Amino acid sequence: MTAGSLAAVLLALTSPTSASAAGSDSSARGAQAINGPLKVCGTQLCDADGKAVQLNGMSTHGTQWYPKCVTSKSVGALATDWRADVLRISTYVQDGGYEDDPAKFTARAMKFVDMAHAQGMYAIIDWHMLEPGDPQFNLERAKTFFTAMAKKYKDHPGVLYEIANEPSGVSWSRVKSYAEKIIPVIRAQDPDSVILVGTRAWSSFGVSEDADESEVVNNPVRASNIMYTFHFYAASHREEYLSALDRASDRLPVFVTEFGTQNYEGEGANDFAMAQKYLDLMKRKKISWVNWNYSDDERSGAVFKEGVCDTDDKWTGTSVLKEAGVWIRNRIRE
């Protein structure tokens, strides 16, 4: 696809029609109706009245692999049966994702955002960069993607922009520089929505590369209405990580945009006891969180049993869920 034809497709995709339709559909119910537009107040995520809120929800798997798990029915089940507040839409950059077909995966992300909005949920637009770990490798792609997304959703109260999933192998100053290049791109279209900034070492505040949150505390991103992301997997990430989240959230606005009850690859045995320690901390401090992942992948971290997504039939209740799915559904419903 040429640059000109891609621009034409993106122009068509960013028309306001579907976004405003989704907004009107969601106005009578859901987290959006309760909280309104979100903003950052000190170290907290706040509602339109400045009251601290905690969102709980799920992340899609890579939209290039599991789009069949994200349907109007499945998203409806997430909102009404699970009672989730937020859906994270994970657009992988590599691995057969965005870089292979920008127009296709931009359209798919918009479709899934609109599904979340139609159910009254917030949507996190996740730029799911993994390898290479330097977010600046995909800087121009990110500018194109977030320009399109922010242009469409600039007047919608239900989006948050996650600009770099898991930076790794680079310094915090490098990640910060990327954020300070991408945030103005979003702000040129959408001046108000919350932006989520990935932290070093797979969004661990540097802990996975022998650092800690002090590098962010002492050198924060120069922007307003932003939060920093933290990821953990309970079977792998123990007290050192829990303590880092506790300390960081005393000084910085933090959103846990990905976690699992398994090991860091989202597989293996569940450690619900350790995961509950994290959830207890996040509840006490009103730290919003999103679990990985809302699919029927074969790994233990995918909430649905294999094959559930093939029929688009039954999504509610616990019979379709793996052990981790039953556990996290119960935690969201609480």
Side-chain angles (χ1 to χ4, degrees), residues 150-166:
K151 184 175 181 180
K152 179 170 183 178
Y153 295 107
K154 61 184 178 181
D155 297 321
H156 201 292
V159 295
L160 303 90
Y161 303 94
E162 184 176 0
I163 61 175
N165 166 55
E166 290 186 348

Side-chain angles (χ1 to χ4, degrees), residues 22 42 54 62 79 106 203 209 227 261 274 284 326 331:
Q54 183 193 32
T106 300
S203 285
E209 292 175 356
M227 306 185 81
T261 56
M274 188 66 198
R284 176 170 60 84
V326 173
R331 297 309 172 282

Side-chain angles (χ1 to χ4, degrees), residues 69-80 115 119 294 311-316:
C69 297
V70 190
T71 71
S72 295
K73 290 181 180 179
S74 74
V75 175
L78 182 62
T80 58
M115 285 182 184
Q119 295 295 333
Y294 202 64
T311 62
D312 195 24
D313 182 17
K314 181 172 173 54
W315 299 101
T316 58

